[in-house]
Amino acid sequence: MTASEGSWDTTATDTVRLMAVLGIASELLAAGLTAAFVAVARLRCWWYAVPAALITVAVLRMVFAAA
């Protein structure tokens, strides 16, 4: 992790964090849809891995964005 060098860095890191939050929101929606399809036995339980992996990546990106 590095410190911001100027206002352009702050804008960039804020944008990265915003995109990560939007990614988390969309993947939570995908996880909800996955849960609905798993509940009616249209998908198997391993399909939870897809939104879980994407949520993990978005959280890591949000946390490790340079502040």
Side-chain angles (χ1 to χ4, degrees):
M1 293 179 37
T2 61
S4 297
E5 293 181 9
S7 62
W8 64 90
D9 282 345
T10 305
T11 303
T13 55
D14 289 344
T15 303
V16 168
R17 286 192 178 116
L18 174 65
M19 291 300 118
V21 168
L22 292 175
I24 291 170
S26 66
E27 288 309 317
L28 287 175
L29 177 63
L33 289 172
T34 301
F37 281 101
V38 168
V40 295
R42 299 294 265 171
L43 293 176
R44 297 191 189 261
C45 289
W46 65 268
W47 277 94
Y48 286 121
V50 176
L54 293 173
I55 288 170
T56 303
V57 168
V59 167
L60 288 174
R61 186 174 187 185
M62 185 173 52
V63 168
F64 291 112

Coordinates of all heavy atoms in Angstrom, one line a residue:
M1 N 0.8 -1.2 0.0 CA 0.0 0.0 0.0 C 0.9 1.2 0.0 O 1.9 1.3 0.7 CB -0.9 0.0 1.2 CG -1.9 -1.1 1.2 SD -3.1 -1.2 2.6 CE -3.4 0.4 3.0
T2 N 0.5 2.2 -0.8 CA 1.2 3.4 -0.8 C 0.3 4.6 -0.5 O -0.9 4.5 -0.6 CB 1.8 3.7 -2.3 OG1 0.7 3.8 -3.2 CG2 2.7 2.6 -2.7
A3 N 1.0 5.7 -0.1 CA 0.2 6.9 0.3 C -0.1 7.7 -1.0 O 0.6 7.6 -2.0 CB 1.0 7.8 1.2
S4 N -1.2 8.5 -0.9 CA -1.5 9.3 -2.1 C -0.5 10.4 -2.3 O 0.0 11.0 -1.3 CB -2.9 10.0 -1.8 OG -3.9 9.0 -1.7
E5 N -0.2 10.7 -3.6 CA 0.8 11.7 -3.9 C 0.2 13.0 -4.1 O 0.9 14.1 -4.2 CB 1.6 11.3 -5.1 CG 2.5 10.1 -4.8 CD 3.3 9.7 -6.0 OE1 3.3 10.4 -7.0 OE2 3.9 8.6 -6.0
G6 N -1.1 13.1 -4.4 CA -1.8 14.3 -4.7 C -3.3 14.1 -4.8 O -3.8 13.0 -4.6
S7 N -4.0 15.2 -5.3 CA -5.4 15.1 -5.4 C -5.8 14.1 -6.5 O -6.9 13.5 -6.4 CB -6.0 16.5 -5.7 OG -5.4 16.9 -7.0
W8 N -5.0 13.9 -7.5 CA -5.4 13.0 -8.5 C -5.3 11.5 -8.0 O -6.1 10.7 -8.4 CB -4.4 13.1 -9.7 CG -3.0 12.8 -9.4 CD1 -2.4 11.5 -9.5 CD2 -2.0 13.7 -8.9 NE1 -1.1 11.6 -9.1 CE2 -0.8 12.9 -8.7 CE3 -2.0 15.0 -8.6 CZ2 0.4 13.5 -8.3 CZ3 -0.8 15.6 -8.2 CH2 0.3 14.8 -8.0
D9 N -4.5 11.2 -7.1 CA -4.5 9.9 -6.4 C -5.7 9.7 -5.6 O -6.2 8.6 -5.5 CB -3.2 9.7 -5.6 CG -2.0 9.4 -6.4 OD1 -2.1 9.1 -7.6 OD2 -0.9 9.5 -5.9
T10 N -6.1 10.7 -4.8 CA -7.3 10.6 -4.0 C -8.5 10.3 -4.8 O -9.3 9.5 -4.5 CB -7.5 11.9 -3.2 OG1 -6.3 12.2 -2.5 CG2 -8.6 11.8 -2.2
T11 N -8.6 11.0 -6.0 CA -9.8 10.8 -6.8 C -9.7 9.4 -7.4 O -10.8 8.7 -7.5 CB -9.7 11.8 -8.0 OG1 -9.7 13.1 -7.5 CG2 -10.9 11.6 -8.9
A12 N -8.6 8.9 -7.8 CA -8.4 7.6 -8.3 C -8.8 6.5 -7.3 O -9.5 5.5 -7.6 CB -7.0 7.3 -8.8
T13 N -8.3 6.7 -6.0 CA -8.6 5.7 -5.0 C -10.1 5.7 -4.6 O -10.7 4.7 -4.3 CB -7.7 5.8 -3.8 OG1 -7.8 7.1 -3.3 CG2 -6.3 5.5 -4.1
D14 N -10.7 6.9 -4.6 CA -12.1 7.0 -4.3 C -12.9 6.3 -5.4 O -13.9 5.6 -5.1 CB -12.5 8.4 -4.2 CG -12.0 9.1 -2.9 OD1 -11.6 8.4 -2.0 OD2 -12.0 10.4 -2.9
T15 N -12.5 6.4 -6.6 CA -13.2 5.7 -7.7 C -13.0 4.2 -7.6 O -14.0 3.5 -7.9 CB -12.6 6.2 -9.1 OG1 -12.8 7.7 -9.2 CG2 -13.3 5.6 -10.2
V16 N -11.8 3.8 -7.3 CA -11.6 2.3 -7.1 C -12.5 1.8 -6.0 O -13.2 0.8 -6.1 CB -10.1 2.0 -6.8 CG1 -9.9 0.6 -6.3 CG2 -9.3 2.3 -8.0
R17 N -12.6 2.5 -4.9 CA -13.5 2.1 -3.8 C -14.9 2.1 -4.2 O -15.7 1.2 -3.8 CB -13.3 3.0 -2.6 CG -12.0 2.7 -1.9 CD -11.9 3.4 -0.5 NE -10.6 3.0 0.1 CZ -9.7 3.8 0.4 NH1 -9.8 5.1 0.2 NH2 -8.6 3.4 1.0
L18 N -15.4 3.1 -4.9 CA -16.8 3.2 -5.4 C -17.1 2.0 -6.3 O -18.1 1.3 -6.2 CB -17.0 4.5 -6.2 CG -18.4 4.6 -6.8 CD1 -19.5 4.6 -5.7 CD2 -18.5 5.8 -7.7
M19 N -16.2 1.7 -7.2 CA -16.4 0.5 -8.1 C -16.4 -0.8 -7.3 O -17.2 -1.7 -7.7 CB -15.3 0.5 -9.2 CG -15.4 1.6 -10.2 SD -17.0 1.6 -11.1 CE -17.6 3.2 -10.6
A20 N -15.6 -0.9 -6.3 CA -15.6 -2.1 -5.5 C -17.0 -2.2 -4.7 O -17.5 -3.3 -4.7 CB -14.5 -2.0 -4.5
V21 N -17.5 -1.1 -4.2 CA -18.8 -1.1 -3.5 C -19.9 -1.5 -4.5 O -20.8 -2.3 -4.2 CB -19.1 0.2 -2.9 CG1 -20.5 0.3 -2.4 CG2 -18.1 0.4 -1.7
L22 N -19.9 -1.0 -5.7 CA -20.9 -1.3 -6.7 C -20.7 -2.8 -7.1 O -21.7 -3.5 -7.4 CB -20.7 -0.4 -7.9 CG -21.1 1.1 -7.7 CD1 -20.8 1.9 -9.0 CD2 -22.6 1.2 -7.3
G23 N -19.5 -3.3 -7.2 CA -19.3 -4.7 -7.5 C -19.8 -5.6 -6.4 O -20.4 -6.6 -6.7
I24 N -19.6 -5.2 -5.2 CA -20.2 -6.0 -4.0 C -21.7 -6.0 -4.1 O -22.3 -7.0 -3.9 CB -19.7 -5.4 -2.7 CG1 -18.2 -5.7 -2.5 CG2 -20.4 -6.0 -1.5 CD1 -17.5 -5.0 -1.4
A25 N -22.3 -4.9 -4.4 CA -23.7 -4.8 -4.5 C -24.3 -5.7 -5.6 O -25.3 -6.4 -5.4 CB -24.2 -3.3 -4.7
S26 N -23.7 -5.6 -6.7 CA -24.1 -6.5 -7.8 C -23.9 -8.0 -7.5 O -24.7 -8.8 -7.9 CB -23.5 -6.1 -9.1 OG -22.1 -6.3 -9.1
E27 N -22.8 -8.3 -6.9 CA -22.6 -9.7 -6.6 C -23.5 -10.2 -5.4 O -23.8 -11.4 -5.4 CB -21.1 -9.9 -6.2 CG -20.2 -9.8 -7.4 CD -20.7 -10.7 -8.6 OE1 -21.1 -11.8 -8.4 OE2 -20.7 -10.2 -9.7
L28 N -23.9 -9.3 -4.5 CA -24.9 -9.8 -3.5 C -26.2 -10.1 -4.2 O -26.9 -11.0 -3.8 CB -25.0 -8.7 -2.5 CG -23.8 -8.6 -1.5 CD1 -24.1 -7.4 -0.5 CD2 -23.7 -9.8 -0.7
L29 N -26.5 -9.3 -5.2 CA -27.7 -9.6 -6.0 C -27.6 -11.0 -6.7 O -28.5 -11.8 -6.7 CB -28.0 -8.5 -7.0 CG -29.2 -8.7 -8.0 CD1 -30.5 -8.8 -7.2 CD2 -29.2 -7.6 -9.0
A30 N -26.4 -11.2 -7.3 CA -26.1 -12.5 -7.9 C -26.2 -13.6 -6.9 O -26.7 -14.7 -7.2 CB -24.8 -12.4 -8.6
A31 N -25.7 -13.4 -5.7 CA -25.7 -14.4 -4.7 C -27.2 -14.7 -4.3 O -27.5 -15.9 -4.1 CB -24.9 -14.0 -3.5
G32 N -28.0 -13.7 -4.2 CA -29.4 -13.9 -3.9 C -30.1 -14.7 -5.0 O -30.9 -15.6 -4.7
L33 N -29.8 -14.4 -6.2 CA -30.4 -15.2 -7.4 C -29.9 -16.6 -7.3 O -30.6 -17.6 -7.6 CB -30.1 -14.5 -8.7 CG -30.8 -13.2 -9.0 CD1 -30.3 -12.5 -10.2 CD2 -32.3 -13.5 -9.1
T34 N -28.6 -16.8 -7.0 CA -28.0 -18.1 -6.9 C -28.7 -18.9 -5.8 O -29.1 -20.1 -6.0 CB -26.5 -18.0 -6.6 OG1 -25.9 -17.3 -7.7 CG2 -25.9 -19.4 -6.5
A35 N -29.0 -18.2 -4.7 CA -29.7 -18.9 -3.6 C -31.1 -19.3 -4.0 O -31.5 -20.4 -3.6 CB -29.7 -18.0 -2.4
A36 N -31.8 -18.5 -4.7 CA -33.1 -18.8 -5.2 C -33.1 -20.1 -6.1 O -33.9 -21.0 -6.0 CB -33.7 -17.7 -5.9
F37 N -32.1 -20.1 -7.0 CA -32.0 -21.3 -7.9 C -31.5 -22.5 -7.2 O -31.9 -23.6 -7.6 CB -31.2 -20.9 -9.1 CG -31.9 -20.1 -10.2 CD1 -31.7 -18.7 -10.2 CD2 -32.8 -20.7 -11.0 CE1 -32.4 -18.0 -11.2 CE2 -33.5 -19.9 -12.0 CZ -33.3 -18.6 -12.0
V38 N -30.7 -22.4 -6.2 CA -30.2 -23.6 -5.5 C -31.4 -24.1 -4.7 O -31.6 -25.3 -4.5 CB -29.0 -23.2 -4.6 CG1 -28.8 -24.3 -3.6 CG2 -27.8 -22.9 -5.4
A39 N -32.2 -23.2 -4.1 CA -33.4 -23.6 -3.3 C -34.4 -24.5 -4.1 O -35.0 -25.4 -3.6 CB -34.1 -22.4 -2.7
V40 N -34.5 -24.1 -5.4 CA -35.5 -24.9 -6.2 C -34.8 -26.1 -7.0 O -35.4 -26.7 -7.9 CB -36.3 -24.0 -7.2 CG1 -37.2 -23.1 -6.4 CG2 -35.4 -23.3 -8.2
A41 N -33.5 -26.3 -6.6 CA -32.7 -27.4 -7.1 C -32.4 -27.3 -8.6 O -32.3 -28.3 -9.3 CB -33.4 -28.8 -6.8
R42 N -32.3 -26.1 -9.1 CA -31.9 -25.9 -10.5 C -30.4 -25.8 -10.6 O -29.9 -26.0 -11.7 CB -32.6 -24.6 -11.1 CG -34.1 -24.7 -11.1 CD -34.6 -25.7 -12.0 NE -35.0 -25.1 -13.3 CZ -35.3 -25.7 -14.3 NH1 -35.3 -27.1 -14.3 NH2 -35.6 -25.1 -15.4
L43 N -29.8 -25.4 -9.5 CA -28.3 -25.3 -9.5 C -27.8 -26.1 -8.3 O -28.5 -26.2 -7.3 CB -27.9 -23.8 -9.4 CG -28.1 -22.9 -10.5 CD1 -27.7 -21.5 -10.2 CD2 -27.4 -23.3 -11.8
R44 N -26.6 -26.5 -8.4 CA -26.0 -27.1 -7.2 C -25.3 -26.1 -6.3 O -25.1 -25.0 -6.7 CB -25.0 -28.2 -7.7 CG -25.6 -29.3 -8.5 CD -24.7 -30.4 -8.8 NE -25.2 -31.3 -9.7 CZ -25.8 -32.4 -9.4 NH1 -25.9 -32.8 -8.1 NH2 -26.3 -33.3 -10.3
C45 N -25.0 -26.5 -5.1 CA -24.4 -25.6 -4.1 C -23.1 -25.0 -4.5 O -22.7 -23.9 -4.1 CB -24.2 -26.4 -2.8 SG -25.8 -26.7 -2.0
W46 N -22.3 -25.7 -5.4 CA -21.0 -25.1 -5.7 C -21.1 -23.8 -6.5 O -20.1 -23.1 -6.6 CB -20.1 -26.1 -6.4 CG -20.6 -26.6 -7.8 CD1 -21.4 -27.6 -8.1 CD2 -20.4 -25.9 -9.0 NE1 -21.7 -27.7 -9.4 CE2 -21.0 -26.6 -10.0 CE3 -19.6 -24.8 -9.4 CZ2 -21.0 -26.3 -11.4 CZ3 -19.6 -24.4 -10.7 CH2 -20.3 -25.2 -11.7
W47 N -22.3 -23.5 -7.0 CA -22.5 -22.2 -7.7 C -22.4 -21.0 -6.8 O -22.2 -19.9 -7.2 CB -23.9 -22.2 -8.4 CG -23.8 -22.9 -9.7 CD1 -24.1 -24.2 -9.9 CD2 -23.4 -22.3 -10.9 NE1 -24.0 -24.5 -11.3 CE2 -23.5 -23.4 -11.9 CE3 -22.9 -21.1 -11.3 CZ2 -23.2 -23.2 -13.2 CZ3 -22.6 -20.9 -12.7 CH2 -22.7 -21.9 -13.6
Y48 N -22.4 -21.2 -5.5 CA -22.2 -20.1 -4.5 C -20.7 -19.7 -4.6 O -20.4 -18.5 -4.2 CB -22.4 -20.6 -3.1 CG -23.9 -20.7 -2.7 CD1 -24.4 -22.0 -2.3 CD2 -24.8 -19.7 -2.8 CE1 -25.7 -22.1 -1.9 CE2 -26.1 -19.8 -2.5 CZ -26.6 -21.0 -2.0 OH -27.9 -21.1 -1.7
A49 N -19.8 -20.5 -5.1 CA -18.4 -20.1 -5.2 C -18.2 -18.9 -6.2 O -17.3 -18.1 -5.9 CB -17.6 -21.3 -5.7
V50 N -19.0 -18.8 -7.2 CA -18.8 -17.7 -8.2 C -19.0 -16.4 -7.5 O -18.1 -15.5 -7.6 CB -19.7 -18.0 -9.4 CG1 -19.6 -16.8 -10.4 CG2 -19.3 -19.3 -10.1
P51 N -20.2 -16.1 -7.0 CA -20.4 -14.8 -6.4 C -19.5 -14.6 -5.1 O -19.0 -13.5 -4.9 CB -21.9 -14.7 -6.0 CG -22.4 -16.1 -6.1 CD -21.5 -16.8 -7.0
A52 N -19.2 -15.7 -4.4 CA -18.3 -15.5 -3.2 C -16.9 -15.1 -3.6 O -16.3 -14.2 -3.0 CB -18.3 -16.9 -2.5
A53 N -16.4 -15.7 -4.7 CA -15.1 -15.3 -5.2 C -15.1 -13.8 -5.7 O -14.1 -13.1 -5.4 CB -14.6 -16.2 -6.3
L54 N -16.1 -13.4 -6.4 CA -16.1 -12.1 -6.9 C -16.3 -11.0 -5.8 O -15.7 -10.0 -5.8 CB -17.2 -11.9 -7.9 CG -17.0 -12.7 -9.2 CD1 -18.2 -12.6 -10.1 CD2 -15.7 -12.2 -9.9
I55 N -17.1 -11.4 -4.7 CA -17.2 -10.5 -3.6 C -15.9 -10.4 -2.8 O -15.5 -9.3 -2.4 CB -18.3 -11.0 -2.6 CG1 -19.7 -10.8 -3.3 CG2 -18.3 -10.4 -1.3 CD1 -20.9 -11.5 -2.6
T56 N -15.2 -11.5 -2.7 CA -13.9 -11.5 -2.0 C -12.9 -10.6 -2.8 O -12.2 -9.8 -2.1 CB -13.3 -12.9 -1.9 OG1 -14.3 -13.7 -1.2 CG2 -12.0 -12.9 -1.2
V57 N -12.9 -10.7 -4.1 CA -12.0 -9.8 -4.9 C -12.4 -8.4 -4.7 O -11.5 -7.5 -4.5 CB -12.0 -10.3 -6.4 CG1 -11.3 -9.2 -7.2 CG2 -11.4 -11.6 -6.5
A58 N -13.7 -8.0 -4.7 CA -14.1 -6.7 -4.6 C -13.7 -6.1 -3.2 O -13.3 -5.0 -3.1 CB -15.6 -6.5 -4.8
V59 N -13.9 -6.9 -2.2 CA -13.6 -6.5 -0.8 C -12.1 -6.2 -0.7 O -11.6 -5.2 -0.1 CB -14.1 -7.5 0.2 CG1 -13.5 -7.2 1.6 CG2 -15.6 -7.5 0.3
L60 N -11.3 -7.1 -1.2 CA -9.8 -7.0 -1.2 C -9.4 -5.7 -2.0 O -8.5 -5.0 -1.5 CB -9.1 -8.2 -1.7 CG -9.2 -9.4 -0.9 CD1 -8.6 -10.6 -1.6 CD2 -8.5 -9.2 0.4
R61 N -10.0 -5.5 -3.1 CA -9.7 -4.3 -3.9 C -10.1 -3.0 -3.1 O -9.3 -2.1 -3.1 CB -10.4 -4.4 -5.2 CG -10.1 -3.3 -6.1 CD -10.7 -3.5 -7.5 NE -10.2 -2.5 -8.4 CZ -10.6 -2.4 -9.6 NH1 -11.6 -3.1 -10.0 NH2 -10.1 -1.5 -10.4
M62 N -11.2 -3.1 -2.4 CA -11.6 -1.9 -1.7 C -10.7 -1.6 -0.5 O -10.3 -0.5 -0.2 CB -13.1 -2.1 -1.2 CG -13.7 -0.9 -0.5 SD -15.4 -1.1 -0.1 CE -15.5 -2.6 0.8
V63 N -10.3 -2.7 0.2 CA -9.5 -2.6 1.4 C -8.1 -2.1 1.1 O -7.5 -1.3 1.8 CB -9.5 -3.9 2.2 CG1 -8.4 -3.9 3.3 CG2 -10.9 -4.2 2.8
F64 N -7.5 -2.7 0.0 CA -6.1 -2.4 -0.3 C -5.9 -1.3 -1.3 O -4.8 -1.1 -1.8 CB -5.4 -3.7 -0.8 CG -5.2 -4.7 0.3 CD1 -5.9 -5.9 0.3 CD2 -4.4 -4.4 1.4 CE1 -5.8 -6.8 1.3 CE2 -4.2 -5.3 2.4 CZ -4.9 -6.5 2.4
A65 N -7.0 -0.6 -1.6 CA -6.8 0.6 -2.5 C -6.0 1.6 -1.6 O -6.3 1.8 -0.5 CB -8.2 1.2 -2.8
A66 N -5.1 2.2 -2.3 CA -4.2 3.2 -1.6 C -5.0 4.3 -1.0 O -5.9 4.9 -1.6 CB -3.1 3.7 -2.5
A67 N -4.8 4.6 0.3 CA -5.5 5.7 0.9 C -4.7 6.9 1.0 O -4.1 7.6 1.3 CB -5.9 5.2 2.3

